[in-house]
PDB file of all heavy atoms in Angstrom:
ATOM      1  N   LYS A  80     -26.046  31.033  54.947  1.00 74.00           N
ATOM      2  CA  LYS A  80     -25.691  31.154  56.298  1.00 74.00           C
ATOM      3  C   LYS A  80     -24.699  29.963  56.711  1.00 74.00           C
ATOM      4  O   LYS A  80     -23.950  30.083  57.664  1.00 74.00           O
ATOM      5  CB  LYS A  80     -26.950  31.125  57.187  1.00 74.00           C
ATOM      6  CG  LYS A  80     -26.660  31.451  58.563  1.00 74.00           C
ATOM      7  CD  LYS A  80     -28.034  31.545  59.397  1.00 74.00           C
ATOM      8  CE  LYS A  80     -27.860  31.862  60.831  1.00 74.00           C
ATOM      9  NZ  LYS A  80     -27.275  33.270  61.054  1.00 74.00           N
ATOM     10  N   GLY A  81     -25.010  28.863  56.064  1.00 69.00           N
ATOM     11  CA  GLY A  81     -24.139  27.761  56.268  1.00 69.00           C
ATOM     12  C   GLY A  81     -24.480  26.879  57.462  1.00 69.00           C
ATOM     13  O   GLY A  81     -23.650  26.165  57.929  1.00 69.00           O
ATOM     14  N   SER A  82     -25.549  27.133  58.095  1.00 76.00           N
ATOM     15  CA  SER A  82     -26.106  26.428  59.286  1.00 76.00           C
ATOM     16  C   SER A  82     -26.969  25.248  58.848  1.00 76.00           C
ATOM     17  O   SER A  82     -28.145  25.495  58.592  1.00 76.00           O
ATOM     18  CB  SER A  82     -26.697  27.281  60.311  1.00 76.00           C
ATOM     19  OG  SER A  82     -27.242  26.515  61.391  1.00 76.00           O
ATOM     20  N   VAL A  83     -26.506  23.978  58.815  1.00 83.00           N
ATOM     21  CA  VAL A  83     -27.301  22.865  58.392  1.00 83.00           C
ATOM     22  C   VAL A  83     -28.432  22.614  59.391  1.00 83.00           C
ATOM     23  O   VAL A  83     -29.471  22.280  59.099  1.00 83.00           O
ATOM     24  CB  VAL A  83     -26.434  21.705  58.166  1.00 83.00           C
ATOM     25  CG1 VAL A  83     -27.322  20.455  57.874  1.00 83.00           C
ATOM     26  CG2 VAL A  83     -25.425  21.894  57.029  1.00 83.00           C
ATOM     27  N   ALA A  84     -28.144  22.752  60.694  1.00 85.00           N
ATOM     28  CA  ALA A  84     -29.073  22.497  61.773  1.00 85.00           C
ATOM     29  C   ALA A  84     -30.242  23.424  61.658  1.00 85.00           C
ATOM     30  O   ALA A  84     -31.414  22.920  61.670  1.00 85.00           O
ATOM     31  CB  ALA A  84     -28.441  22.679  63.154  1.00 85.00           C
ATOM     32  N   TRP A  85     -30.049  24.702  61.451  1.00 86.00           N
ATOM     33  CA  TRP A  85     -31.185  25.616  61.334  1.00 86.00           C
ATOM     34  C   TRP A  85     -31.924  25.373  60.087  1.00 86.00           C
ATOM     35  O   TRP A  85     -33.161  25.482  60.004  1.00 86.00           O
ATOM     36  CB  TRP A  85     -30.698  27.012  61.237  1.00 86.00           C
ATOM     37  CG  TRP A  85     -30.395  27.607  62.636  1.00 86.00           C
ATOM     38  CD1 TRP A  85     -29.245  27.974  63.201  1.00 86.00           C
ATOM     39  CD2 TRP A  85     -31.392  27.911  63.693  1.00 86.00           C
ATOM     40  NE1 TRP A  85     -29.322  28.498  64.426  1.00 86.00           N
ATOM     41  CE2 TRP A  85     -30.539  28.521  64.747  1.00 86.00           C
ATOM     42  CE3 TRP A  85     -32.697  27.833  63.717  1.00 86.00           C
ATOM     43  CZ2 TRP A  85     -31.214  28.797  65.915  1.00 86.00           C
ATOM     44  CZ3 TRP A  85     -33.329  28.179  64.918  1.00 86.00           C
ATOM     45  CH2 TRP A  85     -32.518  28.662  65.993  1.00 86.00           C
ATOM     46  N   LEU A  86     -31.261  24.969  58.914  1.00 85.00           N
ATOM     47  CA  LEU A  86     -31.906  24.728  57.757  1.00 85.00           C
ATOM     48  C   LEU A  86     -32.798  23.374  57.893  1.00 85.00           C
ATOM     49  O   LEU A  86     -33.968  23.447  57.389  1.00 85.00           O
ATOM     50  CB  LEU A  86     -30.895  24.450  56.665  1.00 85.00           C
ATOM     51  CG  LEU A  86     -31.422  23.914  55.244  1.00 85.00           C
ATOM     52  CD1 LEU A  86     -32.409  24.923  54.681  1.00 85.00           C
ATOM     53  CD2 LEU A  86     -30.276  23.680  54.242  1.00 85.00           C
ATOM     54  N   LEU A  87     -32.420  22.412  58.534  1.00 90.00           N
ATOM     55  CA  LEU A  87     -33.237  21.306  58.745  1.00 90.00           C
ATOM     56  C   LEU A  87     -34.383  21.534  59.729  1.00 90.00           C
ATOM     57  O   LEU A  87     -35.465  20.968  59.506  1.00 90.00           O
ATOM     58  CB  LEU A  87     -32.300  20.160  59.300  1.00 90.00           C
ATOM     59  CG  LEU A  87     -31.225  19.614  58.446  1.00 90.00           C
ATOM     60  CD1 LEU A  87     -30.417  18.445  59.153  1.00 90.00           C
ATOM     61  CD2 LEU A  87     -31.677  19.099  57.124  1.00 90.00           C
ATOM     62  N   LEU A  88     -34.082  22.297  60.734  1.00 90.00           N
ATOM     63  CA  LEU A  88     -35.146  22.659  61.658  1.00 90.00           C
ATOM     64  C   LEU A  88     -36.282  23.500  60.837  1.00 90.00           C
ATOM     65  O   LEU A  88     -37.472  23.221  60.938  1.00 90.00           O
ATOM     66  CB  LEU A  88     -34.713  23.579  62.739  1.00 90.00           C
ATOM     67  CG  LEU A  88     -35.762  23.993  63.776  1.00 90.00           C
ATOM     68  CD1 LEU A  88     -36.406  22.880  64.419  1.00 90.00           C
ATOM     69  CD2 LEU A  88     -35.122  24.856  64.760  1.00 90.00           C
ATOM     70  N   PHE A  89     -35.781  24.482  60.044  1.00 87.00           N
ATOM     71  CA  PHE A  89     -36.787  25.196  59.214  1.00 87.00           C
ATOM     72  C   PHE A  89     -37.524  24.249  58.221  1.00 87.00           C
ATOM     73  O   PHE A  89     -38.761  24.475  58.114  1.00 87.00           O
ATOM     74  CB  PHE A  89     -36.011  26.256  58.480  1.00 87.00           C
ATOM     75  CG  PHE A  89     -36.798  26.873  57.233  1.00 87.00           C
ATOM     76  CD1 PHE A  89     -37.807  27.810  57.631  1.00 87.00           C
ATOM     77  CD2 PHE A  89     -36.473  26.713  55.993  1.00 87.00           C
ATOM     78  CE1 PHE A  89     -38.531  28.472  56.590  1.00 87.00           C
ATOM     79  CE2 PHE A  89     -37.348  27.285  55.027  1.00 87.00           C
ATOM     80  CZ  PHE A  89     -38.349  28.189  55.338  1.00 87.00           C
ATOM     81  N   SER A  90     -36.909  23.288  57.649  1.00 88.00           N
ATOM     82  CA  SER A  90     -37.474  22.472  56.716  1.00 88.00           C
ATOM     83  C   SER A  90     -38.534  21.550  57.387  1.00 88.00           C
ATOM     84  O   SER A  90     -39.748  21.340  56.829  1.00 88.00           O
ATOM     85  CB  SER A  90     -36.460  21.503  56.063  1.00 88.00           C
ATOM     86  OG  SER A  90     -35.402  22.214  55.465  1.00 88.00           O
ATOM     87  N   PHE A  91     -38.154  21.122  58.605  1.00 93.00           N
ATOM     88  CA  PHE A  91     -39.220  20.328  59.375  1.00 93.00           C
ATOM     89  C   PHE A  91     -40.373  21.180  59.733  1.00 93.00           C
ATOM     90  O   PHE A  91     -41.615  20.785  59.602  1.00 93.00           O
ATOM     91  CB  PHE A  91     -38.585  19.740  60.667  1.00 93.00           C
ATOM     92  CG  PHE A  91     -39.493  18.975  61.514  1.00 93.00           C
ATOM     93  CD1 PHE A  91     -39.889  17.769  61.288  1.00 93.00           C
ATOM     94  CD2 PHE A  91     -40.303  19.628  62.611  1.00 93.00           C
ATOM     95  CE1 PHE A  91     -40.721  16.934  62.090  1.00 93.00           C
ATOM     96  CE2 PHE A  91     -41.128  18.946  63.392  1.00 93.00           C
ATOM     97  CZ  PHE A  91     -41.382  17.634  63.120  1.00 93.00           C
ATOM     98  N   CYS A  92     -40.170  22.362  60.188  1.00 90.00           N
ATOM     99  CA  CYS A  92     -41.332  23.236  60.592  1.00 90.00           C
ATOM    100  C   CYS A  92     -42.198  23.579  59.368  1.00 90.00           C
ATOM    101  O   CYS A  92     -43.488  23.786  59.559  1.00 90.00           O
ATOM    102  CB  CYS A  92     -40.741  24.494  61.305  1.00 90.00           C
ATOM    103  SG  CYS A  92     -39.956  24.230  62.956  1.00 90.00           S
ATOM    104  N   LEU A  93     -41.517  23.892  58.311  1.00 86.00           N
ATOM    105  CA  LEU A  93     -42.278  24.177  57.049  1.00 86.00           C
ATOM    106  C   LEU A  93     -43.106  22.981  56.694  1.00 86.00           C
ATOM    107  O   LEU A  93     -44.319  23.218  56.326  1.00 86.00           O
ATOM    108  CB  LEU A  93     -41.210  24.572  55.979  1.00 86.00           C
ATOM    109  CG  LEU A  93     -41.918  24.904  54.661  1.00 86.00           C
ATOM    110  CD1 LEU A  93     -42.630  26.355  54.795  1.00 86.00           C
ATOM    111  CD2 LEU A  93     -40.856  25.082  53.499  1.00 86.00           C
TER     112      LEU A  93
END
Side-chain angles (χ1 to χ4, degrees):
K80 189 177 180 65
S82 175
V83 176
W85 279 112
L86 175 60
L87 295 180
L88 179 60
F89 169 70
S90 302
F91 176 83
C92 293
L93 181 68

